[in-house]
Amino acid sequence: MLNQLVEILKSSGVYGWEISDVKTNGWEFYFIRHELDQHRVKNVEHITVKVYQTADNGESLGFASAEIAPTASRQEMEKLVSDLAYRSTLAKNRAFTLTPPTDEQFSEGKASDIADISADFIRTMAELPETDSEDVNSYEIFVSDVIHRLITSTGIDETEHYPSSMIEVVVNARRDGHEIELYRNYTSGTCDAAGLMRDLTRTMAYGRDRLLTQPTPVNGTCDVLFSGRDACAIYDYFATRMSASMIYRKISDYEIGKPICDRFEGDKVTVTALRELANSSANHAFDEEGSVIRDTVLIEDGVPKQYIGSRMFCCYLGIEDSFIPTNLAVTGGTGSQEELRSGRYLEVVEFSDFQVDEITGDIFGEIRLAYLHDGDKTVPVSGGSISGSMNDFIRTMRMSSDSTQYDDMRIPSLTLLHDVTVTGAEG
């Protein structure tokens, strides 16, 4: 089928094209408590076609894409290519060159043992320490072996093999006739047993403490500590502002060689794009456009070093050797856990939704569970919200020197933002 599709694209007269073929072989498990309710085998294939077409005597280049069934007939393939060729002329972008092939030799990799990976998940969940008042309500496990092949009009024809896993867990906590549910979703390459055990044990404790909370009393400013995966949004903000699309459209004001802050009083962040991160679900040799992924420092000690992103916007900035990053590592923290966990601060561990606006830098989150620390006294609280701007926090933010990984991101285990606006539950 792919050979026939390539033949049709070559004879279509379009400027360029890409075919992405993703085959997924997987197992799925659905548990109620720890009893298996359903078990399914999944074998699916998704083929996406992207067509590029020039206009205005080559001054503009548009593109359009769509998915096509692996069982499509020749007539269906020809119609799709014709439709995409027309649609691509409607989007007139400034012309750019398509990703060329590379001399680098890739290892396709080998098939993942989805039976062993599934067994690791099931074993980890069975060993989870539960109590009479905090336990697992249900969980669903999805383990896949993925084969991705990319073929392009420029001569790229690469294939990679990698594992991808996800587990969804619902935790219950009960006290004095009241009950609460906490939902968790974890993605990874294979089973991160230690990380899963650590996080779910904490989640059950959070469920217990959620039933003991007082209304958040703070109204005004307070230091806020992030000790979970919500901090990923903070560091993703830095990486996003180094993307070529943000720079070209003048949404980001980050400049190569110019510090992101006029005066640092806290820690200076370093952000690195990585080709591989242990047990990440995003360990790829090449990106979705066929560009080779390399270890690249984006920001070093608070100073932008390299813009990165899609082929189109990188070409506009005169960057020929770039890629779309998949894994990120953040360093730069100088504080110990003890140092950052001192004094009076609000540690928020559960938000209803935490966001960092990639354009303005504004942060906002509604508090579901937090701990108000004041010396030796710790009180669980809920309600209210936090807000502020990363543009202000960059100057004084602190990070722990140790790190924690959340799938495709490795970040400081603790992130402390100073003078965050906190609106109490009754404020």
Side-chain angles (χ1 to χ4, degrees):
M1 185 267 187
L2 287 184
N3 290 337
Q4 193 173 51
L5 182 56
V6 168
E7 176 192 331
I8 292 170
L9 284 163
K10 285 182 175 179
S11 62
S12 66
V14 298
Y15 174 79
W17 48 267
E18 297 168 2
I19 301 173
S20 175
D21 180 19
V22 180
K23 296 177 181 177
T24 303
N25 303 312
W27 285 7
E28 300 178 354
F29 300 86
Y30 302 83
F31 285 85
I32 304 298
R33 301 297 178 183
H34 292 283
E35 295 294 326
L36 182 62
D37 183 55
Q38 292 185 57
H39 170 218
R40 297 191 304 194
V41 175
K42 177 177 69 176
N43 294 287
V44 297
E45 181 176 9
H46 293 280
I47 300 174
T48 303
V49 181
K50 190 173 186 178
V51 164
Y52 297 85
Q53 188 65 294
T54 58
D56 302 327
N57 296 318
E59 294 295 318
S60 62
L61 179 65
F63 53 87
S65 63
E67 187 171 334
I68 187 169
T71 56
S73 66
R74 183 180 184 91
Q75 182 180 9
E76 290 172 322
M77 287 186 274
E78 289 174 341
K79 183 179 186 307
L80 176 72
V81 171
S82 177
D83 289 345
L84 290 177
Y86 169 70
R87 285 167 47 195
S88 62
T89 63
L90 304 179
K92 296 184 178 182
N93 306 294
R94 176 183 158 194
F96 58 95
T97 60
L98 303 184
T99 305
T102 177
D103 293 332
E104 183 171 343
Q105 297 298 310
F106 299 115
S107 171
E108 180 178 326
K110 60 181 180 179
S112 307
D113 192 330
I114 56 179
D116 282 353
I117 299 172
S118 299
D120 288 342
F121 275 108
I122 295 171
R123 186 182 309 111
T124 301
M125 294 302 297
E127 295 173 353
L128 190 67
E130 299 174 278
T131 69
D132 291 339
S133 55
E134 296 92 36
D135 54 23
V136 173
N137 176 293
S138 60
Y139 55 98
E140 301 176 359
I141 300 169
F142 307 88
V143 177
S144 299
D145 174 52
V146 183
I147 305 172
H148 177 213
R149 183 183 180 189
L150 181 67
I151 313 170
T152 77
S153 56
T154 62
I156 294 173
D157 189 350
E158 301 291 351
T159 302
E160 60 178 356
H161 222 136
Y162 58 92
S164 180
S165 305
M166 180 178 73
I167 180 169
E168 296 180 296
V169 185
V170 177
V171 169
N172 275 31
R174 296 168 293 277
R175 178 182 174 86
D176 298 334
H178 298 283
E179 185 169 353
I180 190 172
E181 287 187 349
L182 295 179
Y183 168 80
R184 290 292 186 270
N185 181 312
Y186 306 95
T187 54
S188 58
T190 61
C191 174
D192 177 12
L196 185 61
M197 180 73 72
R198 178 193 65 239
D199 203 90
L200 285 176
T201 300
R202 290 178 180 174
T203 299
M204 285 192 283
Y206 294 160
R208 177 198 65 212
D209 293 343
R210 179 66 180 83
L211 295 170
L212 299 171
T213 58
Q214 302 176 14
T216 303
V218 181
N219 271 304
T221 60
C222 180
D223 291 350
V224 173
L225 185 74
F226 293 78
S227 57
R229 66 179 57 242
D230 286 305
C232 289
I234 293 174
Y235 297 109
D236 190 56
Y237 167 76
F238 293 108
T240 300
R241 295 190 72 78
M242 290 301 295
S243 69
S245 64
M246 295 280 283
I247 299 299
Y248 180 77
R249 293 180 292 172
K250 302 187 184 303
I251 297 174
S252 170
D253 58 358
Y254 282 13
E255 297 180 25
I256 301 298
K258 180 181 177 181
I260 60 177
C261 175
D262 57 1
R263 185 180 73 258
F264 288 103
E265 299 173 9
D267 291 327
K268 301 175 182 178
V269 67
T270 293
V271 182
T272 304
L274 296 177
R275 181 164 172 168
E276 291 190 4
L277 188 58
N279 205 35
S280 166
S281 63
N283 287 335
H284 303 304
F286 50 89
D287 68 13
E288 62 193 55
E289 298 175 323
S291 296
V292 179
I293 296 176
R294 305 173 309 280
D295 292 355
T296 303
V297 177
L298 308 184
I299 301 174
E300 185 174 23
D301 293 334
V303 179
K305 294 293 183 181
Q306 180 66 54
Y307 299 137
I308 210 164
S310 68
R311 178 73 180 179
M312 179 174 74
F313 287 106
C314 284
C315 283
Y316 293 166
L317 295 179
I319 305 171
E320 285 293 328
D321 192 20
S322 190
F323 59 92
I324 300 170
T326 52
N327 296 311
L328 293 174
V330 180
T331 55
T334 60
S336 65
Q337 292 262 346
E338 293 74 18
E339 183 182 357
L340 268 62
R341 289 184 174 278
S342 61
R344 185 174 187 269
Y345 62 95
L346 186 69
E347 178 183 4
V348 186
V349 297
E350 291 282 328
F351 287 99
S352 60
D353 184 26
F354 177 71
Q355 300 178 22
V356 180
D357 190 292
E358 64 181 23
I359 297 176
T360 65
D362 292 340
I363 74 168
F364 179 79
E366 294 182 348
I367 302 169
R368 295 184 65 186
L369 175 64
Y371 296 95
L372 183 58
H373 300 269
D374 194 352
D376 295 332
K377 184 179 180 181
T378 299
V379 179
V381 298
S382 64
S385 63
I386 68 168
S387 59
S389 173
M390 286 304 303
N391 298 320
D392 299 323
F393 301 141
I394 288 172
R395 179 177 290 109
T396 58
M397 70 179 290
R398 296 293 312 281
M399 302 173 285
S400 64
S401 56
D402 60 316
S403 300
T404 299
Q405 184 175 332
Y406 301 99
D407 190 16
D408 57 0
M409 290 189 71
R410 186 173 65 226
I411 65 173
S413 299
L414 299 180
T415 303
L416 184 66
L417 302 183
H418 292 288
D419 296 327
V420 179
T421 298
V422 179
T423 302
E426 299 175 354

